[in-house]
Structures are given as C-alpha cells and as structure tokens.
Amino acid sequence: MDTLSLEPEFSASIAILAKKSYVDPDANSQLNRTAMLPGMRRVVGQPDLHPGNQYPIGATFITQKYIYPPLIGNDIGCGMAVYKTRLSSEIKPQKIVDKLRQLEGKWTEGDPQAFLISKLGPEHAETGKAHLDQLGTLGGGNHFAEFVIVEELVDTALCKEMNLTMDKTYLIVHSGSRKFGQTVLEASNKMQTKAEKKLLGLEAASETGKAYLQQHDAACAWARTNRELIAHRVLGRLNAEEDAVKLLDIWHNNVEQKLIPSIDPDHPCWIHRKGAAPSDRGLVVIPGSRGHFSYLVMPEGDQDKNGFSLAHGAGRLLPRAKALVKRPVASKQGSIAALQTTDLGSSVICEDSDLLFEEQPGAYKEITDIIADLGPFVKVVAILRPICTYKMRNEQSDHRK
C-alpha cells in the first residue's frame, strides 16, 4: 500500500442528523471547529449531539493519517451491555431496590485481577492493574445499571431470532474504563512532542500514536470487563447471574480503523466515536432518560452517511449546572421524592441529590425524536420500559470518582 499524503487545505464534510432533535448552537460550533483539524475527512453529528468541554458529544469524526485522543476523551471504552435474565417481568421494582446494596467500591467477593484474566487471558494480567479497585463499579455522571422489561416487540421476526420475550427482565449496564482511561489519556499527552501538542493529534503510524492505540485497546477491553463484573455483581444480588445471557456489548467512546470507499478506496480511515454507538456491529441499545423508554434497534441500509454510527442515547438538553437548579416542585425533599419514582412508575436509586437533579428526565432530549431522526438508518426491534435504575448509594462513595 502506497504512502498517504494529505492536502493541507482539505476541508471535511459536515452532517448533522437532527431534524426533530434540538441541537445546542454551542455543539454546532464545536462540530465546525473539529472539522478543521488536520486529516479530518468527515464529521457527523448524531441526533443526541450536545456540547462537551472542548469537543462535542454524540458525534463521529472520521480522519486519515491522524488520530485525536482528546476526541475520545478520558472514558475510553465507555459503552453499554444488555443481558437477558431469568427474572420474571412481573418482578416488583421495590424488590430490586431492596436487594441492590453493597455495590459501591471494590469488589470484595472475589479477586478483580483473576476476574479480568478469566475474561481477557493471562496476557492482560497487568492491564489497568493500578485501577483494579474500580473494576466492577459504575462511576458517576450518566452511568447506570437499569432493569427493563419489553414494552413492545416491534420486529417480531428479529425478536424471535434473538430470543427477546416479554416474560423476562433485562439488564442494561452503562459504564467505561474509570480512572484507567484517564491514565491512558494523560500518558499520551506526556509522550507527545511539542509539534504533536500544537497539532492536537497524533500520526497513527508514529511511535506515540502506536503507543496510544495499544493502551486505548487495553482500556476498551478493561471497560468491557468492567461492565461484565458490574452485571455479575448486580445480578448476584438477585440470585440471577448464573443464567444471564449477554445480548450485546458495544463501545461508544473509541477509535477504530475502517476502509471507507466513499472517502478513499485504497487507504483506511480512523473512526473516532464520542458518545456514538457503532452501526456496523449488529444490535444496538439506545436508552432514553431515566423516565422514558429505551430502544433496541438494528442498523439497516447504507451506513456511510451516518458515519457507521448511531446516537448512544437521548443526549443532554440542559447542561448539568442548569439541571441542578431546575426543581420539579418547590420543596427540595419533595423534588427528590418525585425523581425517585418516574412517570413510567420505575424506581431510581440515587442517594446523591445533586446527581439526581443533574440526571432528571427533563435534562435530556426526547428519545422519540432521536429515534425518528435515526429512521433512515435503523429498524426498531423492541421498546423497553425501565422498572429500576441504579445510579449510586452512599456506600464507599469515594470510589465513584
């Protein structure tokens, strides 16, 4: 394969897939600035697009030659897993609430390193070793473990093929690589030359680039194992871990290589996803806010225009600071109680009042608008109703940071 050269004046194409979904002007500005980075070929804002600290969230960035660790951020490998459990769909939410305890902090019922090795192999004995106390923990922000039931089997043929049924309860786990991902990003920053820091990115073929990609892949593997251990811990509280079947596990914060003929038929590209689910890996879960339905979807049709990606959720409508002061009723205690039971009748376990307000349903976009905007790229397989969402309890809460 011949060497790829890039024209410095090259301008990336920009697409925003939001028609019904609101897009904050700041997110649009961030998307436009990102499109100017060297080597950028295509930028796609998903319907859940919203502003980040520097770069937008809910977006896909396709480059050649260069990779950009800051586009992925510090939670490398963050994603979602879905499990079918043996628990009846008739289970009472309060039973789950009562059982979900002692999930904060280090997993003490087993050896985290042994668990990691059992999933990834002995070659990963040192992977993220400094952060094993966090393996099996959700972290803060928008991470969660949520029990759902099937509200509607939309595509009955696909549901039958995947053994999706209305008589069982399902578990969605959303988490990432915890402090391990932060360590990888910081190490990459320290390794960069002055020229690389000025560029903001790395040549993928450079020593710094290859070192980052190696650690990035390790963090992604660690994050996936983290979700597995979270599921093991959560389901163990309900004596349901033995029979659980994993339906999917996807990363929505990562970078990967892919040949995209519409961009260049001879040289592969780098797809950076920041809060964007892959649409070339089969079944995808797109969760709503804690008070709304979630959707299982199957990508279909040409995935080129959407950057081989989909929305990873509803996407924030309100910044956390604004959501924090938005109270549904005048009394703070009344507001807390109102947010612990949603309009759908599901329970929310969150003993951090600030986080509860930050993550309230009104802080997110309408999931039905997100799904409508994704219409050309997916078929809805099933609609999921939340019955209990676990965010955090005040048990060894220092491990959540």
Side-chain angles (χ1 to χ4, degrees):
M1 189 174 288
D2 57 321
T3 303
L4 173 67
S5 60
L6 298 176
E7 297 297 328
E9 67 274 11
F10 186 89
S11 178
S13 65
I14 303 173
I16 298 179
L17 307 181
K19 292 184 178 179
K20 298 188 71 175
S21 304
Y22 171 77
V23 174
D24 189 307
D26 288 343
N28 196 16
S29 297
Q30 289 181 342
L31 204 68
N32 289 330
R33 288 196 298 270
T34 307
M36 302 301 293
L37 292 172
M40 193 64 67
R41 293 308 198 206
R42 185 178 297 166
V43 174
V44 181
Q46 300 296 331
D48 59 338
L49 180 71
H50 58 281
N53 291 331
Q54 185 177 3
Y55 299 106
I57 301 167
T60 308
F61 313 96
I62 302 178
T63 65
Q64 285 189 290
K65 189 175 180 179
Y66 297 102
I67 56 172
Y68 289 91
L71 293 183
I72 308 306
N74 59 354
D75 199 5
I76 302 166
C78 186
M80 298 190 193
V82 179
Y83 296 81
K84 182 178 182 178
T85 82
R86 65 173 180 79
L87 298 171
S88 168
S89 59
E90 299 297 323
I91 190 171
K92 301 298 183 184
Q94 190 58 48
K95 180 178 180 180
I96 300 175
V97 172
D98 293 341
K99 294 286 187 180
L100 294 188
R101 297 187 178 276
Q102 299 303 314
L103 294 172
E104 302 296 327
K106 181 180 180 180
W107 181 48
T108 58
E109 296 156 0
D111 181 349
Q113 187 177 35
F115 186 90
L116 188 76
I117 292 171
S118 73
K119 299 297 181 181
L120 301 181
E123 66 274 19
H124 284 274
E126 299 298 314
T127 299
K129 190 174 181 179
H131 308 289
L132 286 174
D133 282 3
Q134 293 190 322
L135 192 71
T137 62
L138 283 168
N142 62 352
H143 293 170
F144 62 84
E146 182 169 86
F147 284 96
V148 299
I149 59 175
V150 176
E151 175 75 4
E152 182 182 353
L153 299 171
V154 180
D155 190 310
T156 53
L158 271 176
C159 287
K160 184 176 181 180
E161 180 182 330
M162 297 176 181
N163 197 26
L164 292 169
T165 59
M166 299 187 73
D167 63 330
K168 299 298 181 184
T169 295
Y170 298 77
L171 174 67
I172 304 174
V173 177
H174 176 202
S175 191
S177 55
R178 309 291 276 111
K179 285 187 178 178
F180 182 24
Q182 177 69 35
T183 301
V184 172
L185 182 61
E186 290 174 353
S188 173
N189 291 338
K190 290 178 181 178
M191 289 178 62
Q192 290 176 28
T193 64
K194 289 183 178 180
E196 288 171 333
K197 289 180 178 179
K198 184 177 180 180
L199 179 69
L200 301 177
L202 308 168
E203 287 197 30
S206 69
E207 290 304 311
T208 310
K210 288 188 287 187
Y212 170 78
L213 288 170
Q214 183 180 27
Q215 286 301 299
H216 162 280
D217 291 350
C220 284
W222 197 99
R224 176 168 285 173
T225 306
N226 185 39
R227 289 189 286 275
E228 291 194 58
L229 185 51
I230 290 168
H232 177 81
R233 297 181 75 177
V234 169
L235 293 173
R237 295 295 180 268
L238 293 150
N239 296 316
E241 76 277 17
E242 296 267 339
D243 306 319
V245 177
K246 186 194 294 186
L247 301 180
L248 65 91
D249 190 306
I250 53 175
W251 296 303
H252 54 232
N253 281 6
N254 73 325
V255 58
E256 61 185 22
Q257 201 170 36
K258 186 179 183 72
L259 185 66
I260 304 177
S262 64
I263 293 178
D264 188 332
D266 299 315
H267 303 95
C269 297
W270 292 98
I271 301 180
H272 302 67
R273 295 186 177 100
K274 177 63 173 177
S279 65
D280 53 1
R281 296 286 189 277
L283 193 66
V284 174
V285 63
I286 304 178
S289 70
R290 304 291 61 78
H292 294 95
F293 295 113
S294 295
Y295 290 75
L296 280 174
V297 303
M298 182 65 75
E300 67 173 358
D302 184 8
Q303 297 295 307
D304 189 271
K305 291 183 179 179
N306 56 319
F308 303 92
S309 306
L310 303 171
H312 79 310
R316 292 199 69 87
L317 179 64
L318 296 178
R320 291 188 178 275
K322 288 186 178 180
L324 192 59
V325 298
K326 183 178 173 64
R327 313 282 170 139
V329 293
S331 162
K332 181 175 181 180
Q333 289 304 315
S335 300
I336 290 173
L339 292 174
Q340 288 173 334
T341 302
T342 73
D343 290 344
L344 293 178
S346 65
S347 298
V348 177
I349 303 169
C350 183
E351 295 180 354
D352 180 329
S353 61
D354 285 353
L355 182 59
L356 188 64
F357 287 117
E358 289 173 3
E359 290 292 298
Q360 62 185 283
Y364 284 84
K365 302 181 187 183
E366 289 290 339
I367 187 63
T368 51
D369 291 344
I370 302 292
I371 298 301
D373 284 338
L374 291 175
F377 310 107
V378 303
K379 64 167 68 174
V380 176
V381 178
I383 301 174
L384 308 175
R385 171 186 286 266
I387 58 173
C388 182
T389 305
Y390 182 94
K391 298 288 290 182
M392 66 86 65
R393 288 193 189 273
N394 289 319
E395 304 165 342
Q396 303 182 52
S397 58
D398 57 304
H399 284 271
R400 300 194 66 79
K401 298 178 180 178

